[in-house]
Amino acid sequence: MTHCPSHDSSSLTRRQWLALAGAGSLSACGGGGGDLPDVQPAAEPTAHPLGVATGGTGRIRSFLSAAITATSPLTVGGVSLDTRDAELSDGNGEALHGNDIAAGMTARVLAGPVVAASAQAYSVIVDTQVVGPAIWLDSRSLLVLGQHVSAPTSALRGPNAAGTPPDVQVWGRLDLAAGSIVATRIERAQPNDAPMLRGVLGDRGADWLQVGTLVARAADASIIPAGLAAGAVVRLVLGAPLADGSWQLLQARDDALRPPDGLEAELQGLVTQFTSARQFALDGVPVDASHAQIEGLAQLQAGATAEVRGKMVNGVLVATEVSAEAAEPLEISGRLSGLDRTRNSFMLKGWQVQWTAATRFGSGSALGLRNGRSLTVRGRWQPGAASLQALQITLE
């Protein structure tokens, strides 16, 4: 999700924030196997703002969620921070020190007003997006705990990033429209780092949660918050893999990027939960659009891309303006594997693809599907879902 300033309280204009959020192209470097490919950083690390909101009352006047571009002084998303009175911690609430923080890591910051691209920070939380065993699909992308991770040229590599074991930790942002994590920094995981995942909840049961293809099971169902529903952005801490292919769930919480109450925000993202056009969630952030002006009403539904302006009140974005449009289908090309005709599914570039009677075949038919065959799939992905729903399959 990208949050942008709703007025000129920062030296960065809304257009500049949007340009930063979209910057960075995928790497074309070589590599593969268990080692990290040689992803080289850009000449100057590119900021990837995940959020900005301004206009609160009291000492908290701004909220930033972005990549760290410098550590002395700490600079997050282009904003230089005075951290002398700030509380620094990781995603588990453990205290951090300056030497624990590096460029490319992502941080959420509560701060005072942003003036001339500087602010006084009061709280800085540095957290990863995913930690766990990695499988490189190509030099541009990998799977970590079954989640797609893209590694643009701007993604920085930490020390000991290459080599075995292949467990990695990735800092970055969720790109829900593309169903992936866009990495800003990749390091080898440390031996005491527990596997963890931040993503969109696809489904749940009394004692299990599903994010993408990963299923996490809790020995004690009480550790799963009762209010978690499909479409919520969750943070899962995992134990060991289980015999059935699922993972042991140790901790779970709602982890949507929510600016504090009183701040005005402009949020852009994907509709992850939909009750009605007046009540929905954008990248896990609840939206009350009861009195909002809505553009693109027919397109406002689960999976749509939307932009919402409003003010945070009791953890909800009370909207004044909403603009929505249908999300563009994903297009993936590669060689088919793991064909399962009983379930109408196969694997393609790490995606599980599902076809139905409504799927169009650009050439041939479902009878032409076979392992190793090259094809292109256009499909829609519901955030958190285990499978990409194929709209069209073109056999080559």
Side-chain angles (χ1 to χ4, degrees), residues 161-249:
T164 55
D167 289 37
V168 300
Q169 49 187 332
V170 178
W171 292 263
R173 62 182 174 89
L174 291 175
D175 183 347
L176 298 185
S180 67
I181 295 169
V182 180
T184 54
R185 185 180 180 91
I186 303 175
E187 290 186 3
R188 186 201 295 188
Q190 300 301 311
N192 58 345
D193 288 337
M196 65 81 64
L197 169 64
R198 185 173 180 273
V200 178
L201 183 62
D203 199 2
R204 65 159 296 170
D207 61 353
W208 59 268
L209 300 174
Q210 172 251 316
V211 176
T213 59
L214 181 136
V215 175
R217 301 186 184 279
D220 180 0
S222 66
I223 69 172
I224 300 178
L228 282 184
V233 176
V234 294
R235 184 182 190 275
L236 311 181
V237 178
L238 307 172
L242 302 176
D244 63 357
S246 63
W247 286 74
Q248 181 185 12
L249 178 63

Coordinates of all heavy atoms in Angstrom, one line a residue, residues 161-249:
A161 N 25.1 -12.9 2.5 CA 23.8 -13.2 1.8 C 23.9 -14.4 1.0 O 22.9 -15.1 0.8 CB 23.4 -12.0 1.0
A162 N 25.0 -14.7 0.4 CA 25.1 -15.9 -0.4 C 25.5 -17.1 0.4 O 26.0 -17.0 1.5 CB 26.1 -15.6 -1.5
G163 N 25.4 -18.3 -0.2 CA 25.8 -19.5 0.4 C 24.7 -20.3 1.1 O 23.6 -20.0 1.0
T164 N 25.1 -21.3 1.8 CA 24.1 -22.2 2.5 C 24.2 -21.9 4.0 O 25.2 -21.5 4.5 CB 24.4 -23.6 2.2 OG1 25.7 -23.9 2.6 CG2 24.2 -23.9 0.7
P165 N 23.2 -22.2 4.8 CA 21.9 -22.7 4.3 C 21.1 -21.6 3.5 O 21.4 -20.4 3.7 CB 21.2 -23.0 5.6 CG 21.7 -22.1 6.6 CD 23.2 -21.9 6.2
P166 N 20.1 -22.0 2.8 CA 19.4 -21.0 1.9 C 18.3 -20.2 2.6 O 17.5 -19.6 1.9 CB 18.8 -21.9 0.8 CG 18.5 -23.2 1.5 CD 19.6 -23.4 2.5
D167 N 18.2 -20.3 3.9 CA 17.2 -19.5 4.7 C 17.6 -18.0 4.5 O 18.8 -17.6 4.8 CB 17.2 -19.9 6.1 CG 16.5 -21.2 6.3 OD1 16.8 -22.1 5.4 OD2 15.8 -21.4 7.3
V168 N 16.7 -17.1 4.2 CA 16.9 -15.7 4.0 C 15.9 -14.9 4.8 O 14.9 -15.4 5.3 CB 16.8 -15.3 2.5 CG1 17.8 -16.0 1.7 CG2 15.4 -15.5 2.0
Q169 N 16.2 -13.6 5.1 CA 15.3 -12.7 5.6 C 15.2 -11.6 4.6 O 16.2 -11.1 4.0 CB 15.7 -12.2 7.0 CG 17.1 -11.7 7.1 CD 17.5 -11.4 8.6 OE1 16.6 -11.0 9.4 NE2 18.7 -11.5 8.9
V170 N 14.0 -11.1 4.4 CA 13.7 -10.1 3.3 C 12.9 -9.0 3.9 O 11.9 -9.1 4.6 CB 12.8 -10.8 2.2 CG1 12.5 -9.7 1.2 CG2 13.5 -11.9 1.6
W171 N 13.4 -7.8 3.7 CA 12.7 -6.5 4.0 C 12.1 -6.0 2.7 O 12.8 -6.1 1.7 CB 13.7 -5.5 4.6 CG 14.2 -5.8 6.0 CD1 13.7 -5.4 7.2 CD2 15.3 -6.6 6.3 NE1 14.4 -5.9 8.2 CE2 15.4 -6.7 7.7 CE3 16.3 -7.3 5.5 CZ2 16.5 -7.4 8.3 CZ3 17.3 -8.0 6.1 CH2 17.4 -8.0 7.6
G172 N 11.0 -5.4 2.8 CA 10.4 -4.9 1.6 C 9.0 -4.4 1.8 O 8.6 -4.1 2.9
R173 N 8.2 -4.4 0.7 CA 6.8 -4.0 0.8 C 5.9 -5.1 0.1 O 6.3 -5.8 -0.8 CB 6.6 -2.7 0.1 CG 6.9 -2.7 -1.4 CD 6.7 -1.3 -2.0 NE 7.1 -1.2 -3.4 CZ 6.3 -1.5 -4.4 NH1 5.1 -1.8 -4.2 NH2 6.8 -1.4 -5.6
L174 N 4.7 -5.2 0.6 CA 3.7 -6.1 0.0 C 3.1 -5.4 -1.3 O 2.7 -4.3 -1.2 CB 2.6 -6.4 0.9 CG 2.9 -7.2 2.2 CD1 1.6 -7.3 3.1 CD2 3.3 -8.6 1.8
D175 N 3.3 -6.1 -2.4 CA 2.6 -5.6 -3.6 C 1.4 -6.5 -3.8 O 1.6 -7.6 -4.5 CB 3.6 -5.6 -4.8 CG 3.0 -5.1 -6.1 OD1 1.7 -4.9 -6.1 OD2 3.7 -4.8 -7.0
L176 N 0.3 -6.2 -3.3 CA -0.9 -7.1 -3.3 C -1.4 -7.3 -4.7 O -1.9 -8.4 -5.0 CB -1.9 -6.6 -2.3 CG -1.5 -6.5 -0.9 CD1 -2.7 -6.1 0.0 CD2 -0.9 -7.8 -0.4
A177 N -1.3 -6.3 -5.5 CA -1.9 -6.4 -6.9 C -1.1 -7.5 -7.7 O -1.6 -8.2 -8.5 CB -1.8 -5.1 -7.6
A178 N 0.2 -7.5 -7.4 CA 1.1 -8.5 -8.1 C 1.2 -9.8 -7.3 O 1.9 -10.7 -7.8 CB 2.4 -7.9 -8.4
G179 N 0.7 -9.9 -6.1 CA 0.8 -11.0 -5.3 C 2.2 -11.4 -4.9 O 2.6 -12.5 -4.9
S180 N 3.0 -10.3 -4.6 CA 4.4 -10.6 -4.2 C 4.9 -9.6 -3.2 O 4.2 -8.6 -2.8 CB 5.3 -10.4 -5.5 OG 5.3 -9.1 -5.9
I181 N 6.1 -9.9 -2.7 CA 6.8 -9.0 -1.8 C 8.0 -8.4 -2.6 O 8.7 -9.1 -3.3 CB 7.4 -9.7 -0.6 CG1 6.3 -10.3 0.3 CG2 8.4 -8.8 0.2 CD1 6.8 -11.3 1.3
V182 N 8.0 -7.1 -2.7 CA 9.1 -6.4 -3.4 C 10.2 -6.1 -2.4 O 10.1 -5.3 -1.5 CB 8.6 -5.1 -4.1 CG1 9.8 -4.4 -4.8 CG2 7.5 -5.4 -5.0
A183 N 11.4 -6.8 -2.6 CA 12.5 -6.7 -1.6 C 13.2 -5.4 -1.7 O 13.5 -4.9 -2.8 CB 13.4 -7.8 -1.9
T184 N 13.5 -4.8 -0.6 CA 14.5 -3.7 -0.5 C 15.8 -4.1 0.1 O 16.8 -3.4 -0.1 CB 13.9 -2.5 0.3 OG1 13.5 -3.0 1.6 CG2 12.7 -1.9 -0.4
R185 N 15.8 -5.2 0.8 CA 17.1 -5.8 1.3 C 16.9 -7.3 1.6 O 15.8 -7.7 2.0 CB 17.4 -5.1 2.7 CG 18.8 -5.5 3.2 CD 19.1 -4.8 4.6 NE 20.4 -5.3 5.1 CZ 21.6 -4.7 4.8 NH1 21.6 -3.6 4.0 NH2 22.7 -5.1 5.3
I186 N 17.9 -8.0 1.3 CA 17.9 -9.5 1.5 C 19.2 -9.9 2.2 O 20.3 -9.4 1.8 CB 17.9 -10.2 0.1 CG1 16.6 -9.8 -0.7 CG2 17.9 -11.7 0.3 CD1 16.6 -10.4 -2.1
E187 N 19.1 -10.7 3.2 CA 20.2 -11.2 4.0 C 20.0 -12.7 4.2 O 18.9 -13.2 4.2 CB 20.4 -10.5 5.3 CG 20.8 -9.0 5.3 CD 21.1 -8.5 6.7 OE1 21.0 -9.3 7.6 OE2 21.4 -7.3 6.8
R188 N 21.1 -13.3 4.6 CA 21.0 -14.7 5.1 C 20.4 -14.6 6.5 O 20.8 -13.8 7.3 CB 22.3 -15.4 5.1 CG 22.2 -16.9 5.5 CD 23.5 -17.5 6.0 NE 24.5 -17.5 5.0 CZ 25.7 -18.1 5.2 NH1 25.9 -18.7 6.4 NH2 26.6 -18.1 4.3
A189 N 19.4 -15.5 6.8 CA 18.8 -15.5 8.1 C 19.8 -16.1 9.1 O 20.7 -16.9 8.8 CB 17.6 -16.4 8.1
Q190 N 19.7 -15.6 10.3 CA 20.6 -16.0 11.4 C 20.1 -17.3 12.0 O 18.8 -17.6 11.9 CB 20.7 -14.9 12.5 CG 21.3 -13.6 12.0 CD 22.7 -13.8 11.4 OE1 23.6 -14.4 12.0 NE2 22.9 -13.3 10.2
P191 N 20.9 -18.1 12.6 CA 20.4 -19.4 13.2 C 19.3 -19.3 14.1 O 18.5 -20.2 14.2 CB 21.7 -20.0 13.8 CG 22.8 -19.4 13.1 CD 22.4 -18.0 12.8
N192 N 19.2 -18.2 14.9 CA 18.2 -18.1 15.9 C 17.0 -17.3 15.4 O 16.1 -17.0 16.2 CB 18.7 -17.4 17.2 CG 19.3 -16.0 16.9 OD1 19.6 -15.7 15.7 ND2 19.5 -15.2 17.9
D193 N 16.9 -17.0 14.1 CA 15.8 -16.2 13.5 C 14.6 -17.2 13.3 O 14.8 -18.2 12.5 CB 16.2 -15.6 12.2 CG 17.1 -14.4 12.4 OD1 17.0 -13.8 13.5 OD2 17.8 -14.0 11.4
A194 N 13.5 -17.0 13.9 CA 12.4 -17.9 13.7 C 11.7 -17.5 12.3 O 11.7 -16.4 11.9 CB 11.3 -17.6 14.8
P195 N 11.3 -18.5 11.6 CA 10.5 -18.2 10.4 C 9.3 -17.3 10.7 O 8.6 -17.5 11.7 CB 10.1 -19.6 9.9 CG 11.0 -20.6 10.5 CD 11.3 -20.0 11.9
M196 N 9.1 -16.3 9.8 CA 8.0 -15.4 10.0 C 7.5 -15.0 8.6 O 8.3 -15.0 7.6 CB 8.3 -14.2 10.9 CG 9.4 -13.2 10.3 SD 8.7 -12.0 9.1 CE 7.6 -11.1 10.1
L197 N 6.3 -14.5 8.6 CA 5.7 -14.1 7.3 C 4.6 -13.0 7.6 O 3.8 -13.1 8.5 CB 5.0 -15.3 6.7 CG 4.0 -15.0 5.5 CD1 4.8 -14.4 4.3 CD2 3.3 -16.2 5.0
R198 N 4.7 -12.0 6.8 CA 3.7 -10.9 6.8 C 3.0 -10.9 5.5 O 3.6 -10.8 4.4 CB 4.4 -9.5 7.0 CG 3.4 -8.4 7.2 CD 4.0 -7.1 7.6 NE 3.1 -6.1 7.7 CZ 2.6 -5.3 6.7 NH1 3.2 -5.4 5.5 NH2 1.7 -4.4 6.9
G199 N 1.7 -11.2 5.5 CA 0.9 -11.3 4.2 C -0.6 -11.2 4.5 O -1.0 -10.8 5.6
V200 N -1.3 -11.5 3.4 CA -2.8 -11.3 3.5 C -3.4 -12.7 3.8 O -3.1 -13.7 3.2 CB -3.3 -10.8 2.2 CG1 -4.9 -10.7 2.2 CG2 -2.8 -9.4 1.9
L201 N -4.3 -12.7 4.8 CA -4.9 -13.9 5.2 C -5.9 -14.4 4.2 O -6.8 -13.6 3.8 CB -5.6 -13.7 6.6 CG -6.3 -14.9 7.2 CD1 -5.3 -16.0 7.5 CD2 -7.0 -14.5 8.5
G202 N -5.7 -15.6 3.6 CA -6.7 -16.1 2.6 C -7.8 -16.8 3.2 O -9.0 -16.7 2.8
D203 N -7.6 -17.6 4.3 CA -8.6 -18.4 4.9 C -8.2 -18.7 6.3 O -7.0 -18.6 6.7 CB -8.9 -19.7 4.1 CG -10.3 -20.3 4.4 OD1 -11.0 -19.7 5.2 OD2 -10.6 -21.4 3.8
R204 N -9.1 -19.2 7.1 CA -8.8 -19.6 8.5 C -9.7 -20.7 9.0 O -10.8 -20.8 8.5 CB -8.8 -18.4 9.4 CG -10.1 -17.8 9.6 CD -10.2 -16.9 10.9 NE -10.0 -17.8 12.1 CZ -9.8 -17.3 13.3 NH1 -9.7 -16.0 13.5 NH2 -9.7 -18.1 14.4
G205 N -9.2 -21.4 10.0 CA -10.1 -22.3 10.8 C -9.9 -22.0 12.2 O -9.3 -21.0 12.6
A206 N -10.4 -22.9 13.1 CA -10.3 -22.7 14.5 C -8.9 -22.7 15.0 O -8.5 -21.9 15.9 CB -11.1 -23.8 15.3
D207 N -8.0 -23.5 14.4 CA -6.7 -23.6 14.8 C -5.6 -23.5 13.7 O -4.5 -23.9 13.8 CB -6.4 -24.9 15.6 CG -6.7 -26.1 14.7 OD1 -7.1 -26.0 13.5 OD2 -6.4 -27.3 15.1
W208 N -6.0 -22.9 12.5 CA -5.1 -22.8 11.4 C -5.4 -21.5 10.7 O -6.5 -21.0 10.6 CB -5.1 -24.0 10.5 CG -6.5 -24.2 9.9 CD1 -7.5 -25.1 10.4 CD2 -7.0 -23.7 8.7 NE1 -8.6 -25.0 9.6 CE2 -8.3 -24.2 8.5 CE3 -6.5 -22.8 7.7 CZ2 -9.1 -23.9 7.4 CZ3 -7.3 -22.5 6.6 CH2 -8.6 -23.0 6.5
L209 N -4.3 -21.0 10.0 CA -4.4 -19.8 9.2 C -3.7 -20.1 7.8 O -2.7 -20.9 7.8 CB -3.7 -18.6 9.8 CG -4.2 -18.1 11.2 CD1 -3.3 -17.0 11.7 CD2 -5.7 -17.6 11.0
Q210 N -4.2 -19.6 6.7 CA -3.6 -19.8 5.4 C -3.3 -18.5 4.8 O -4.1 -17.6 4.7 CB -4.6 -20.6 4.5 CG -4.1 -20.7 3.1 CD -5.0 -19.9 2.2 OE1 -6.2 -19.8 2.3 NE2 -4.4 -19.2 1.2
V211 N -2.0 -18.3 4.4 CA -1.6 -17.1 3.6 C -0.9 -17.7 2.3 O 0.1 -18.3 2.4 CB -0.6 -16.3 4.4 CG1 0.0 -15.1 3.6 CG2 -1.2 -15.8 5.7
G212 N -1.5 -17.4 1.2 CA -1.0 -18.0 0.0 C -1.0 -19.5 0.1 O -2.0 -20.0 0.5
T213 N 0.1 -20.1 -0.3 CA 0.1 -21.6 -0.2 C 0.5 -22.1 1.2 O 0.5 -23.3 1.4 CB 1.1 -22.2 -1.2 OG1 2.4 -21.6 -1.0 CG2 0.6 -21.8 -2.7
L214 N 0.9 -21.2 2.1 CA 1.3 -21.6 3.4 C 0.1 -21.8 4.4 O -0.7 -20.9 4.5 CB 2.3 -20.6 4.0 CG 2.9 -21.0 5.4 CD1 4.4 -20.7 5.4 CD2 2.2 -20.2 6.5
V215 N 0.1 -22.9 5.0 CA -0.9 -23.2 6.1 C -0.1 -23.3 7.4 O 0.9 -24.1 7.5 CB -1.7 -24.4 5.8 CG1 -2.6 -24.8 7.0 CG2 -2.5 -24.3 4.5
A216 N -0.5 -22.5 8.4 CA 0.1 -22.6 9.8 C -0.9 -23.1 10.8 O -2.0 -22.6 10.8 CB 0.6 -21.2 10.1
R217 N -0.5 -24.1 11.6 CA -1.4 -24.7 12.5 C -0.9 -24.4 13.9 O 0.2 -24.6 14.3 CB -1.5 -26.2 12.3 CG -2.0 -26.6 10.9 CD -2.2 -28.1 10.8 NE -2.6 -28.4 9.4 CZ -3.8 -28.3 8.9 NH1 -4.8 -27.9 9.7 NH2 -4.1 -28.7 7.7
A218 N -1.9 -24.1 14.8 CA -1.6 -23.7 16.2 C -1.9 -24.9 17.1 O -3.0 -25.5 17.0 CB -2.3 -22.5 16.6
A219 N -1.0 -25.3 18.0 CA -1.3 -26.3 19.0 C -2.3 -25.8 20.0 O -3.1 -26.5 20.5 CB 0.0 -26.7 19.7
D220 N -2.3 -24.5 20.2 CA -3.2 -23.8 21.1 C -4.0 -22.8 20.3 O -3.5 -21.7 19.9 CB -2.5 -23.1 22.2 CG -3.4 -22.4 23.2 OD1 -4.7 -22.4 23.0 OD2 -2.9 -21.8 24.2
A221 N -5.3 -23.1 20.0 CA -6.1 -22.2 19.1 C -6.3 -20.8 19.7 O -6.6 -19.9 18.9 CB -7.4 -22.8 18.9
S222 N -6.0 -20.6 21.0 CA -6.3 -19.3 21.6 C -5.2 -18.3 21.2 O -5.4 -17.1 21.4 CB -6.2 -19.4 23.1 OG -4.9 -19.8 23.6
I223 N -4.1 -18.7 20.5 CA -3.1 -17.7 20.1 C -3.6 -17.0 18.8 O -3.0 -16.0 18.4 CB -1.7 -18.4 19.9 CG1 -1.8 -19.3 18.6 CG2 -1.3 -19.1 21.1 CD1 -0.4 -19.8 18.3
I224 N -4.6 -17.5 18.2 CA -5.2 -16.8 17.0 C -6.2 -15.8 17.4 O -7.2 -16.2 18.0 CB -5.8 -17.9 16.0 CG1 -4.7 -18.9 15.6 CG2 -6.3 -17.2 14.8 CD1 -5.2 -20.0 14.7
P225 N -6.0 -14.5 17.1 CA -7.0 -13.5 17.5 C -8.4 -13.9 16.9 O -8.5 -14.2 15.7 CB -6.4 -12.2 16.9 CG -4.9 -12.5 16.8 CD -4.8 -13.9 16.5
A226 N -9.4 -13.7 17.7 CA -10.7 -14.1 17.2 C -11.2 -13.3 16.1 O -12.0 -13.8 15.2 CB -11.7 -14.0 18.4
G227 N -10.8 -12.0 16.0 CA -11.4 -11.2 15.0 C -10.7 -11.3 13.6 O -11.1 -10.6 12.7
L228 N -9.7 -12.1 13.5 CA -9.0 -12.2 12.2 C -9.9 -12.8 11.1 O -10.5 -13.9 11.4 CB -7.7 -13.1 12.3 CG -6.5 -12.4 12.9 CD1 -5.3 -13.4 12.9 CD2 -6.1 -11.1 12.2
A229 N -10.0 -12.1 10.0 CA -10.9 -12.6 8.9 C -10.1 -12.6 7.6 O -9.1 -11.9 7.5 CB -12.1 -11.8 8.8
A230 N -10.6 -13.3 6.6 CA -9.9 -13.3 5.3 C -9.8 -11.9 4.8 O -10.7 -11.1 4.9 CB -10.7 -14.2 4.3
G231 N -8.6 -11.6 4.3 CA -8.3 -10.2 3.8 C -7.5 -9.4 4.8 O -7.0 -8.4 4.4
A232 N -7.4 -9.9 6.0 CA -6.6 -9.1 7.0 C -5.1 -9.3 6.7 O -4.7 -10.3 6.2 CB -6.9 -9.6 8.4
V233 N -4.3 -8.2 6.9 CA -2.9 -8.3 6.8 C -2.4 -8.9 8.1 O -2.6 -8.2 9.2 CB -2.3 -7.0 6.5 CG1 -0.7 -7.1 6.5 CG2 -2.7 -6.5 5.1
V234 N -1.7 -10.0 8.1 CA -1.3 -10.7 9.4 C 0.2 -10.8 9.4 O 0.9 -10.9 8.4 CB -2.0 -12.0 9.5 CG1 -3.5 -11.9 9.7 CG2 -1.7 -12.9 8.3
R235 N 0.7 -11.0 10.6 CA 2.1 -11.3 10.9 C 2.2 -12.6 11.6 O 1.6 -12.7 12.7 CB 2.8 -10.2 11.7 CG 4.3 -10.4 11.9 CD 4.9 -9.3 12.7 NE 6.4 -9.3 12.8 CZ 7.1 -10.1 13.6 NH1 6.5 -10.9 14.5 NH2 8.4 -10.0 13.6
L236 N 2.8 -13.6 11.0 CA 2.8 -14.9 11.6 C 4.3 -15.3 12.0 O 5.2 -15.1 11.2 CB 2.3 -16.0 10.7 CG 1.0 -15.8 10.0 CD1 0.7 -16.9 9.0 CD2 -0.1 -15.5 11.0
V237 N 4.5 -15.8 13.2 CA 5.8 -16.3 13.7 C 5.6 -17.8 13.7 O 4.6 -18.3 14.3 CB 6.2 -15.8 15.0 CG1 7.5 -16.4 15.5 CG2 6.4 -14.3 15.0
L238 N 6.5 -18.5 13.0 CA 6.3 -20.0 12.8 C 7.4 -20.8 13.6 O 8.5 -20.3 13.9 CB 6.4 -20.3 11.3 CG 5.5 -19.5 10.4 CD1 5.8 -19.7 9.0 CD2 4.0 -19.8 10.7
G239 N 7.1 -22.0 13.8 CA 8.0 -23.0 14.4 C 8.5 -23.9 13.3 O 9.0 -23.4 12.3
A240 N 8.4 -25.2 13.6 CA 9.0 -26.2 12.6 C 7.9 -26.6 11.6 O 6.7 -26.5 11.9 CB 9.5 -27.4 13.4
P241 N 8.4 -27.0 10.4 CA 7.4 -27.6 9.4 C 6.8 -28.9 10.0 O 7.5 -29.6 10.7 CB 8.2 -27.8 8.2 CG 9.7 -27.8 8.7 CD 9.7 -27.0 9.9
L242 N 5.6 -29.2 9.7 CA 4.9 -30.4 10.2 C 4.8 -31.4 9.1 O 5.1 -31.2 7.9 CB 3.5 -30.0 10.6 CG 3.4 -28.9 11.7 CD1 2.0 -28.5 12.0 CD2 4.1 -29.4 13.0
A243 N 4.5 -32.6 9.5 CA 4.5 -33.8 8.5 C 3.6 -33.6 7.3 O 3.9 -34.1 6.2 CB 4.2 -35.0 9.3
D244 N 2.5 -32.9 7.5 CA 1.5 -32.7 6.4 C 1.9 -31.5 5.5 O 1.1 -31.2 4.6 CB 0.1 -32.5 7.0 CG -0.1 -31.3 7.8 OD1 0.9 -30.5 8.0 OD2 -1.2 -31.0 8.2
G245 N 3.0 -30.9 5.7 CA 3.4 -29.8 4.8 C 3.1 -28.4 5.3 O 3.5 -27.4 4.8
S246 N 2.3 -28.4 6.4 CA 2.0 -27.1 7.1 C 3.1 -26.7 8.0 O 4.1 -27.5 8.2 CB 0.6 -27.2 7.8 OG 0.7 -28.2 8.8
W247 N 3.0 -25.6 8.7 CA 4.0 -25.1 9.7 C 3.3 -24.9 11.0 O 2.1 -24.6 11.1 CB 4.6 -23.8 9.2 CG 5.5 -23.9 8.0 CD1 5.2 -24.2 6.7 CD2 6.9 -23.8 8.1 NE1 6.3 -24.2 6.0 CE2 7.4 -24.0 6.8 CE3 7.9 -23.6 9.1 CZ2 8.8 -24.0 6.5 CZ3 9.2 -23.6 8.8 CH2 9.7 -23.8 7.5
Q248 N 4.1 -25.1 12.0 CA 3.7 -24.8 13.4 C 3.5 -23.3 13.6 O 4.4 -22.5 13.3 CB 4.7 -25.4 14.4 CG 4.3 -25.1 15.9 CD 5.4 -25.6 16.8 OE1 6.5 -25.9 16.4 NE2 5.1 -25.7 18.1
L249 N 2.4 -22.9 14.1 CA 2.1 -21.5 14.3 C 2.4 -21.1 15.8 O 1.8 -21.7 16.7 CB 0.6 -21.1 14.0 CG 0.2 -19.7 14.2 CD1 1.0 -18.7 13.3 CD2 -1.3 -19.5 13.9

